[in-house]
Amino acid sequence: MAALTDLTIAEAGAALEKGDFTARELTDAYLSAMETARGLNAYIEETPERAQAMADASDARRAGGKAEGPLDGIPLAIKDLFCTEGALSTAGSHILEGFRPTYESTVTQNLWDAGAVMLGKVNMDEFAMGSANITSHYGPTLNPWKASSGDNAGKDLVPGGSSGGSAAAVAARIAAGATGTDTGGSIRQPGAFCGIVGLKPTYGRCSRWGVIAFASSLDQAGPIARSVEDSAIMLGGMAGFDPKDSTSVDLPVPDYAAALTGDIRGLRVGVPAEYRMDGTPPEIEALWQQGVAWLRDAGAEIVDISLPHTKYALPAYYIVAPAEASSNLARYDGMRYGLRVEGEDLTDTYERTRAEGFGHEVQRRVMIGTYVLSAGYYDAYYLKAQRVRTRIADDFKAAWDSCDVILTPTTPSAAFALGEKQDDPIAMYLNDIFTVPASMAGLPAISVPAGLSADGLPLGLHLIAPAFGEETLLRAAHVLEGAAGFDVQP
Ligand code: GLN
């Protein structure tokens, strides 16, 4: 039999059900794998005792015939952005040093209610700001993949971000699945860089309650997993209406795994002309064409579409997201939780705490955000960006007249080396060129590993669906996954 940590969630769940092994054995296999993979710096805090207790409880439920479902006994990693009762929850920031919440986020509570096991909290870009997992106070997470050739051969690579710890942990088989959050690409881009599946659900599908806020109108929790089926299973465990989040939508949670019929005959797949951008490497373009061919061969109808405001998505995002972040991060003043650096007086204490507690990227965003919201600039920048956002959403609305899903690349490149793009924020922001438009429109989207770059690194294809079209999205992604047959491991 394969190593327990090589099994997908679906496979492990079926084996637990058959009694091939116990949840405790599965959890212990992950805990020892975590010990040998500490060099990746994927975990900020491991919670082995809690994991074992949760696994034992799962085994007891199963023995009593009361197993909860496909997630019962499945060991997961939790992005450090989710508040977990009694366990470190820092958003990768020094300013939340030592913060152990007295409450549990809704999404993680839903997962525990479904029987899942928490292995620990995983690394991320500070406050989810970044695309390389290099802005964390806890140091960078490494991508378990290495390039086999090219300039970066053998070098340490970034796992993508901001959910870099989640993606690295799932790819390195030190978690069966992980939670992530995606504001502009933070689930999908690290998914693509690490050769696994990353799903950003529709805005409002998963509760944001207890998720440390970055940009509230964009943040959305979602699963990072090794297969589309696992993503469907995890989303079913995470999603649902929550009266504690006013933007959570009161819709029933479908059986997402049941949507994976393997049949996409007649599905209309849109290919947006505006995503064919200057400077996109030929191998990304070729993979995209390959994806089109796979879906056509599976019986889909390919439709050329236009999303005319695509090029404005990234600049508008970098106004809206920092604006909301500057407001959300105002609460970190050293008074209520986390770090406090005492000063001469109250104002001095605020200033010292924030100067020491926030890293450079977070400070940059707070400054940009405060600027675009300030009197005289609000209309010129923030209001304008919100109007652009409406246009972007309207583009998608118009596109759904002629297609059911949209296919694009996930990222303009494969994973890059640690240290690359570090001093060039614009180059870093361009990582999200293909993922941000769906975020601005609140739409569900998924990255599926689809091939290897010339240097032997994973590349992803990206599907976008209409709001609450997760079932169609997953069905198409499942077919894409099958056609790509990506079975390489780091
Ligand atoms: N990389 C983007 C940013 O830095 C997106 C991050 C995210 O989705 N949380 O804002």
Side-chain angles (χ1 to χ4, degrees):
M1 201 170 75
L4 296 189
T5 52
D6 270 332
L7 301 173
T8 62
I9 293 175
E11 289 164 349
L16 285 168
E17 189 58 30
K18 277 201 294 170
D20 290 350
F21 47 79
T22 63
R24 178 60 185 265
E25 286 165 336
L26 182 64
T27 294
D28 284 341
Y30 275 105
L31 292 173
S32 43
M34 284 155 65
E35 273 176 38
T36 57
R38 288 203 179 123
L40 294 175
N41 197 28
Y43 282 85
I44 288 178
E45 176 162 271
E46 298 178 4
T47 54
E49 291 87 16
R50 185 183 300 214
Q52 288 175 332
M54 290 173 104
D56 289 344
S58 168
D59 286 329
R61 269 193 303 277
R62 203 174 293 278
K66 292 209 168 66
E68 291 291 343
L71 282 170
D72 208 329
I74 301 296
L76 302 177
I78 302 300
K79 187 178 185 181
D80 203 36
L81 205 61
F82 293 82
C83 287
T84 43
E85 194 179 343
L88 206 59
S89 303
T90 71
S93 182
H94 187 34
I95 210 154
L96 277 169
E97 181 91 42
F99 177 52
R100 292 180 187 275
T102 54
Y103 48 87
E104 189 76 30
S105 83
T106 299
V107 160
T108 47
Q109 189 59 54
N110 288 348
L111 288 168
W112 315 146
D113 290 346
V117 168
M118 178 163 94
L119 293 170
K121 302 298 288 289
V122 275
N123 210 346
M124 54 179 286
D125 279 302
E126 186 180 5
F127 284 104
M129 298 172 188
S131 304
N133 210 120
I134 52 173
T135 68
S136 169
H137 173 60
Y138 297 88
T141 294
L142 302 184
N143 193 323
W145 288 83
K146 293 258 196 252
S148 53
S149 59
D151 292 345
N152 288 337
K155 287 190 194 160
D156 282 337
L157 305 178
V158 303
S162 65
S163 310
S166 305
V170 173
R173 272 80 180 150
I174 51 174
T179 62
T181 60
D182 191 311
T183 304
S186 275
I187 288 177
R188 293 161 285 162
Q189 185 255 13
F193 275 17
C194 292
I196 52 176
V197 180
L199 166 61
K200 181 198 94 76
T202 309
Y203 182 76
R205 181 69 287 192
C206 292
S207 170
R208 287 184 298 109
W209 195 83
V211 180
I212 297 170
F214 163 13
S216 307
S217 76
L218 294 156
D219 297 345
Q220 178 58 212
I224 294 188
R226 281 182 232 140
S227 72
V228 172
E229 186 183 17
D230 284 5
S231 309
I233 293 170
M234 272 193 73
L235 179 60
M238 295 168 70
F241 174 60
D242 180 6
K244 289 190 285 198
D245 171 4
S246 61
T247 59
S248 151
V249 175
D250 194 357
L251 278 177
V253 178
D255 180 351
Y256 292 114
L260 311 180
T261 59
D263 184 2
I264 57 159
R265 281 173 300 171
L267 188 79
R268 298 169 306 162
V269 177
V271 178
E274 292 78 6
Y275 279 60
R276 197 155 287 123
M277 294 175 193
D278 286 348
T280 304
E283 67 182 4
I284 301 285
E285 176 70 30
L287 184 75
W288 190 15
Q289 293 317 316
Q290 177 64 70
V292 167
W294 281 328
L295 294 177
R296 185 189 288 120
D297 290 349
E301 183 195 332
I302 308 300
V303 194
D304 287 324
I305 61 161
S306 173
L307 299 168
H309 296 89
T310 298
K311 71 172 175 196
Y312 303 113
L314 200 67
Y317 169 87
Y318 275 100
I319 290 175
V320 172
E324 294 182 16
S326 71
S327 168
N328 274 325
L329 270 52
R331 76 190 71 180
Y332 303 106
D333 56 6
M335 295 300 122
R336 281 159 289 200
Y337 27 57
L339 181 77
R340 176 184 302 176
V341 184
E342 294 291 348
E344 305 286 318
D345 53 28
L346 185 63
T347 305
D348 193 38
T349 300
Y350 288 160
E351 287 175 359
R352 284 174 195 251
T353 301
R354 288 171 67 85
E356 202 168 297
F358 290 139
H360 290 306
E361 183 61 26
V362 173
Q363 293 189 9
R364 172 164 28 238
R365 307 265 182 132
V366 169
M367 284 192 283
I368 295 172
T370 312
Y371 178 79
V372 300
L373 289 177
S374 57
Y377 295 105
Y378 183 92
D379 290 351
Y381 295 109
Y382 186 68
L383 208 58
K384 187 72 139 260
Q386 290 291 26
R387 291 201 171 118
V388 170
R389 188 173 182 181
T390 303
R391 293 295 176 103
I392 292 163
D394 288 346
D395 282 357
F396 281 106
K397 274 192 206 124
W400 303 133
D401 288 339
S402 54
C403 66
D404 305 305
V405 293
I406 293 171
L407 179 74
T408 81
T410 310
T411 57
S413 75
F416 45 91
L418 192 64
E420 236 179 281
K421 309 188 194 208
Q422 192 144 338
D423 305 317
D424 185 351
I426 305 285
M428 195 60 90
Y429 296 171
L430 281 168
N431 272 289
D432 294 316
I433 190 100
F434 298 130
T435 51
V436 153
S439 301
M440 292 294 266
L443 303 175
I446 191 167
S447 177
V448 177
L452 291 176
S453 71
D455 295 341
L457 294 173
L459 296 172
L461 283 172
H462 183 228
L463 287 161
I464 309 169
F468 300 100
E470 277 85 356
E471 288 167 282
T472 310
L473 184 74
L474 286 159
R475 185 158 55 94
H478 184 230
V479 169
L480 195 60
E481 175 185 55
F486 186 91
D487 56 3
V488 213
Q489 280 191 33

